[in-house]
């Protein structure tokens, strides 16, 4: 990966999280019940957390160039699409089957954080050599 796309993706994802959060707060409250609104909010919250994580990945990847950092970024991106995206679609469509995807997105987040931790361990080890 020659260009560092994590900065762009993280920034756009953060912007989208703000837009969707405003939509949830001002547009959905009259259309869905409180439980569904909370699910939508959870999607926004996790998207925003991981948009910030992608910005951190962007800086780390630029300075360290560790493949595990890049893999963590891709896992976070996949998690945002599957976790947050499935919650958004479930709330907006009411199709319960869509919610079956959500745990896969959550697992992707866990894998991303694990890869980031592994890259830190790997980086610290290589510094000692």
């Amino acid at each position: 990966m020659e260009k560092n796309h994590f900065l762009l993706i993280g920034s756009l994802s953060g912007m989208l999280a703000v837009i969707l959060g405003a939509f949830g707060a001002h547009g959905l409250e009259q259309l869905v019940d409180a439980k569904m609104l909370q699910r939508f909010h959870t999607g926004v919250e996790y998207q925003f957390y991981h948009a910030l994580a992608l910005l951190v990945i962007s800086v780390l990847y630029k300075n360290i160039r560790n493949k595990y950092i890049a893999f963590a970024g891709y896992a976070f991106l996949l998690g945002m699409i599957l976790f947050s995206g499935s919650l958004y679609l479930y709330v907006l469509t009411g199709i319960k089957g869509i919610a079956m995807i959500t745990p896969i997105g959550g697992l992707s987040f866990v894998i991303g954080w694990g890869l980031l931790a592994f890259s830190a361990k790997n980086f610290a080890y290589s510094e000692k050599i």
Side-chain angles (χ1 to χ4, degrees):
M1 179 154 126
E2 188 64 29
K3 292 184 180 178
N4 187 343
H5 297 288
F6 294 121
L7 177 61
L8 175 64
I9 294 168
S11 300
L12 291 176
S13 181
M15 180 180 75
L16 184 60
V18 171
I19 291 168
L20 290 171
F23 172 68
H26 302 292
L28 279 181
E29 60 186 7
Q30 301 299 322
L31 301 175
V32 298
D33 64 26
K35 191 173 184 178
M36 292 296 262
L37 193 59
Q38 182 57 43
R39 286 184 177 121
F40 193 87
H41 175 73
T42 299
V44 170
E45 190 174 357
Y46 275 71
Q47 180 177 344
F48 195 68
Y49 293 151
H50 290 88
L52 293 174
L54 281 178
L55 296 178
V56 171
I57 294 284
S58 171
V59 172
L60 291 174
Y61 185 73
K62 181 179 179 187
N63 293 315
I64 298 172
R65 292 280 180 178
N66 181 311
K67 68 180 177 181
Y68 299 107
I69 292 172
F71 292 157
Y74 292 126
F76 290 155
L77 177 59
L78 182 63
M80 285 190 290
I81 292 167
L82 296 178
F83 184 89
S84 296
S86 66
L87 288 176
Y88 301 148
L89 287 174
Y90 174 49
V91 170
L92 296 173
T93 66
I95 301 171
K96 291 183 179 181
I98 293 171
M100 304 291 267
I101 298 169
T102 308
I104 299 169
L107 179 61
S108 185
F109 287 146
V110 171
I111 290 169
W113 288 109
L115 286 166
L116 192 56
F118 185 76
S119 72
K121 179 186 177 283
N122 191 32
F123 179 71
Y125 177 74
S126 66
E127 286 293 305
K128 292 179 183 178
I129 295 177

